[in-house]
Amino acid sequence: MTDESYIKLTIELAKKGAGSVSPNPLVGAVVVKNERILGAGFHEKFGGRHAEINAIEKAKENIEGATLFVNLEPCSHHGKTPPCVDRIIAEKIKRVVIGTLDMNPLTSGKGVKKLKSAGIDVKVGILEKECIGLNKFFFKYITKKLPYVSLKSAQTVDGRIADKSGESAWISSLSSRKYVHSLRAQYDAVLVGKGTVEKDDPKLTVRLVEGRNPKRIVLDTSLNIKLSHRIFTKNKDKNLIVITSKKNAGRKRKINKLNILGATVLFAKEESDEKINLKSALKELYKIGIASVLVEGGSQVFTSFIKKNLFDDMLMFISPKILGCGVPVIGNLGIKNLQKSVKAKIGNVEKIGNDILLELYK
């Protein structure tokens, strides 16, 4: 097998930690000697042993002189666990092949430097693009101190997310809905506006596939949402967050009722139009360790994220239906000519059930 083949394997191993390691990165590692895999592992949970250590521990033979393959640069600093490079050096591993450098300032380049200083042959940049893409959530979180934001919509061909009466069930196919549930399991949180809760009464949980539930976030500037909706009454895992204006910090009675229902209340700045300042809200989410957010609606929330340039990608599930009228996925952005339009790059395009998934990047 080639270096690329082993790094591909580390990527697949790393994916097993999706939904369990955030805000840490997804990492997989393989120990190889004489073209035989002696040990393989991945970072399984936040605060747990790193992938390199798991791979080393699973080796049943002497790994002195072996090659370690890992998709992300091994850490060189003390965190919740000791530095991985120290263990690699102690085990007398001869060669380390790394997919990409870590963007964390505590580690970036330092792990490689320490390994080289110990006389270990180090190779960096194997399938680098794929390795960076694997940890796009982590890299945005650690470098920008903001969560990665994806806007997800289920829409008709003519860009409607609901009909004229506001009815939206079901625009997309069952296959698309299952895909969305698998997405929810990968993100730290799912976010909607108060209007979506009031119109659709969503649960925002993972039900159609196996996976852990994300945190559920509701934007409510005025903090006047009714607590009879399912997102509150079915909040058994206590993973609900309500983000409201700082001016509501003194409303102890309502806040206490939310706390009793297992909801955490965060306070963000308010815009002049009496809407939540989204960047302020994202900063509050960063502070509590949320590295990725899947925005699921509604139209006003989508429009605000795009208008403020606070999204990283868009996942558009396009159903072969035409309404001609109804609720648009994106409202008025205040753009008056084509030259000032929001530009996006097409990423993945695939058919899911009877729908098309269009992935767009800024």
Side-chain angles (χ1 to χ4, degrees):
M1 288 178 67
T2 63
D3 288 351
E4 287 79 7
S5 297
Y6 285 118
I7 290 297
K8 279 184 181 179
L9 179 55
T10 68
I11 291 173
E12 292 308 308
L13 286 167
K15 290 177 181 178
K16 293 183 178 182
S20 301
V21 303
S22 185
N24 282 353
L26 297 168
V27 186
V30 179
V31 179
V32 178
K33 187 175 182 180
N34 298 326
E35 298 186 0
R36 290 174 55 236
I37 295 176
L38 302 185
F42 64 98
H43 184 34
E44 299 177 10
K45 62 180 181 179
F46 178 73
R49 293 188 305 188
H50 289 188
E52 300 93 324
I53 306 305
N54 284 330
I56 290 170
E57 292 286 346
K58 289 182 180 180
K60 302 300 182 183
E61 301 176 26
N62 184 359
I63 64 173
E64 181 177 347
T67 297
L68 172 73
F69 294 88
V70 61
N71 60 288
L72 186 68
E73 178 183 11
C75 66
S76 58
H77 65 285
H78 282 272
K80 290 184 178 294
T81 59
C84 290
V85 292
D86 291 354
R87 181 66 182 273
I88 294 168
I89 293 168
E91 294 289 344
K92 297 183 179 178
I93 287 173
K94 183 179 180 180
R95 182 170 180 254
V96 177
V97 180
I98 301 167
T100 185
L101 292 177
D102 194 339
M103 295 185 188
N104 186 342
L106 292 173
T107 295
S108 188
K110 296 175 184 176
V112 168
K113 184 178 180 180
K114 193 168 185 178
L115 291 171
K116 287 183 175 180
S117 297
I120 295 174
D121 179 21
V122 181
K123 186 176 182 180
V124 182
I126 305 301
L127 298 182
E128 187 172 29
K129 183 178 179 180
E130 291 87 341
C131 291
I132 290 174
L134 175 69
N135 275 307
K136 60 185 181 182
F137 295 168
F138 170 72
F139 289 147
K140 167 82 179 289
Y141 178 82
I142 204 72
T143 60
K144 303 297 184 182
K145 299 189 184 304
L146 291 171
Y148 189 98
V149 176
S150 296
L151 307 183
K152 190 281 302 181
S153 66
Q155 63 190 78
T156 60
V157 170
D158 54 337
R160 307 294 172 174
I161 60 173
D163 62 22
K164 198 171 182 180
S165 68
E167 177 63 37
S168 61
W170 296 97
I171 285 179
S172 59
S173 65
L174 177 59
S175 296
S176 290
R177 298 200 297 275
K178 285 182 177 179
Y179 192 99
V180 169
H181 280 229
S182 69
L183 280 175
R184 288 176 181 173
Q186 297 172 36
Y187 282 74
D188 289 345
V190 174
L191 182 149
V192 295
K194 182 185 72 170
T196 295
V197 174
E198 292 176 338
K199 290 176 185 175
D200 299 340
D201 197 21
K203 292 180 180 177
L204 303 179
T205 53
V206 175
R207 303 180 303 282
L208 300 180
V209 299
E210 289 188 9
R212 68 96 174 93
N213 288 327
K215 293 184 183 298
R216 280 85 65 195
I217 302 170
V218 179
L219 297 180
D220 180 12
T221 309
S222 57
L223 201 62
N224 61 6
I225 191 168
K226 294 180 180 179
L227 305 185
S228 56
H229 295 290
R230 291 188 299 180
I231 203 167
F232 297 105
T233 61
K234 304 294 184 181
N235 183 35
K236 293 180 181 179
D237 58 6
K238 313 298 184 185
N239 261 344
L240 179 62
I241 297 170
V242 175
I243 301 180
T244 188
S245 170
K246 286 185 176 181
K247 70 181 182 183
N248 295 314
R251 296 179 59 186
K252 303 299 183 183
R253 187 175 178 181
K254 184 63 175 281
I255 294 168
N256 186 54
K257 285 183 179 179
L258 285 164
N259 292 157
I260 291 172
L261 291 171
T264 298
V265 181
L266 299 180
F267 301 97
K269 295 178 182 177
E270 187 178 315
E271 300 280 14
S272 57
D273 59 1
E274 296 186 347
K275 291 181 181 179
I276 292 290
N277 181 299
L278 293 178
K279 187 155 189 184
S280 174
L282 292 176
K283 286 180 178 179
E284 293 304 313
L285 293 174
Y286 164 82
K287 290 176 184 177
I288 60 172
I290 292 179
S292 57
V293 177
L294 183 65
V295 179
E296 293 204 31
S299 179
Q300 289 186 18
V301 173
F302 285 146
T303 304
S304 295
F305 270 98
I306 295 170
K307 201 170 185 179
K308 298 296 181 181
N309 195 28
L310 288 172
F311 72 101
D312 295 283
D313 62 31
M314 298 179 68
L315 303 169
M316 309 180 88
F317 293 84
I318 304 171
S319 172
K321 299 171 183 175
I322 299 172
L323 276 172
C325 63
V327 182
V329 62
I330 301 166
N332 184 6
L333 295 172
I335 296 172
K336 296 182 179 180
N337 58 68
L338 191 61
Q339 286 70 34
K340 294 182 180 180
S341 62
V342 177
K343 308 298 191 300
K345 295 180 181 179
I346 297 176
N348 182 48
V349 180
E350 63 179 297
K351 190 172 185 290
I352 298 179
N354 201 35
D355 306 323
I356 295 295
L357 169 58
L358 175 61
E359 189 173 7
L360 300 174
Y361 291 93
K362 281 200 302 186

